[in-house]
Each structure stands twice: as structure tokens, then as C-alpha cells.
Amino acid sequence: PGTTMSDKVELHSNERTLVDTNLFIAIGNPENTKFQRFRETVAESGVVLSVPERVREELSIHPIERRLTTALDEGWAETVSAPPLTASEAVTATDRARRMIAEITGQDEHDVEKADTMFAGLAVQYLTLGDTRVAVLTDDGPATTAIKTAVRSVEVRGDVRVLTLAEVIGESDDDITLI
């Protein structure tokens, strides 16, 4: 009792799983419990995380690049070149996500982080290219809402889930050390 590890949302090996920069920030360094739980969850699921080039670039300027490097070296993540958003539905989803994030955060549309809106378009584009399931892992609240809404607003076959770190690894009491 007290932990909700059983409340974890399963990752699926037949699902393209895209990862946002903020997830690598949230898991901490490889010595951190959250990092280790995330690594174990991903490994157990058989998923290889797809890290868009833009996310890799964002992480390379942070002192946290080692987190991604560890994931890449251990084989549970890979860098992917994002396909161009050629499907009109993908472009529409990106635009709608941008507008929604701007609305939620009170930002000007031109100031909304490009990576956040990119995930809506990428999810739809991957579905149009033949994937049947796409998951987006992000800890950004406005982006989560916007991606879900934008993807639902376009006609596309397949399933898109947007998940947070807590949903993937489950909340746990061992995030706090009691003496």
C-alpha cells in the first residue's frame, strides 16, 4: 500500500514511442531511481524509444546529455530523423496543437516551442506512413492536452496515446528516502 506501481500504463513493442526533451530532464541521471525505473519499464516492454533529432539537439546543449547517451548506448532509445510532414492531416494537427498551446499558456503562437507542436504532426505522419500505434511521452501539461486534441481533430487511422512519466513508471514512495 502507498505505492501505485500497478497503476502503470503499459508500453507496447508494436507502438512507435516518441520521447520529448522534458522526459529526459524528469528522469534524472542514470543513478536516479526514476531513471532506473524508466529504463526497466522500457526494457521490459521491448520498446525502443524514438528520439527525434530536434530532441537530441535540445539535449546536447544541456548538461543532461549523458541521460540520452546512456539510453542510446544501451539500445533502449534511438535517434530518428523526423519524416517531413507531407500529409495534410499532419500539418493540420501541428497547427492546431500550436494554437491550443498558445491558448492554454497565453503565449503568442509564434513563441510556442516548435518541438511541442511537432509531436502532434509526427504522430499523425507516422500513422499515415503505416504505423498503427504511436505513443508520445511528455511531461508538458499544455502539450499533452494539445497533442491529444489536435490528433483527435484530424481524420487518420490508428491510435495515438500521450503519456507522462508518472503514467509510464508509476508513482512510487521510493522517490522520497525515509530514514
Side-chain angles (χ1 to χ4, degrees):
T3 65
T4 56
M5 297 291 282
S6 61
D7 295 343
K8 293 191 321 186
V9 174
E10 296 289 320
L11 295 177
H12 303 286
S13 59
N14 66 339
E15 182 173 51
R16 180 177 299 275
T17 306
L18 300 165
V19 188
D20 196 0
T21 305
N22 59 47
L23 211 84
F24 281 99
I25 294 169
I27 61 175
N29 286 320
E31 305 78 27
N32 186 299
T33 321
K34 281 186 180 179
F35 185 101
Q36 293 167 10
R37 285 203 326 258
F38 185 65
R39 173 200 283 147
E40 289 165 17
T41 300
V42 171
E44 287 169 8
S45 71
V47 165
V48 176
L49 303 175
S50 296
V51 180
E53 192 62 40
R54 181 186 290 264
V55 169
R56 190 200 58 73
E57 289 168 13
E58 287 180 3
L59 288 169
S60 71
I61 59 173
H62 283 278
I64 60 168
E65 183 178 20
R66 182 168 69 104
R67 299 170 193 182
L68 175 59
T69 305
T70 299
L72 295 170
D73 290 348
E74 293 177 355
W76 49 276
E78 63 185 359
T79 306
V80 294
S81 296
L85 301 184
T86 52
S88 62
E89 297 88 351
V91 175
T92 299
T94 301
D95 291 342
R96 288 182 179 161
R98 182 180 310 104
R99 277 196 299 277
M100 178 160 276
I101 292 171
E103 195 175 295
I104 293 169
T105 62
Q107 290 177 288
D108 184 273
E109 277 187 46
H110 300 291
D111 296 332
V112 170
E113 191 180 324
K114 300 275 187 281
D116 291 344
T117 61
M118 165 191 74
F119 285 106
L122 274 181
V124 171
Q125 186 67 39
Y126 278 122
L127 292 177
T128 66
L129 292 173
D131 284 329
T132 56
R133 300 174 67 135
V134 178
V136 176
L137 307 184
T138 182
D139 259 5
D140 183 313
T144 298
T145 302
I147 294 165
K148 286 179 180 177
T149 304
V151 169
R152 276 197 306 262
S153 77
V154 296
E155 288 289 322
V156 66
R157 291 178 94 89
D159 183 37
V160 175
R161 300 188 301 159
V162 185
L163 305 170
T164 64
L165 179 62
E167 291 172 317
V168 173
I169 66 172
E171 297 290 348
S172 173
D173 290 341
D174 65 4
D175 291 335
I176 300 169
T177 305
L178 300 176
I179 298 172

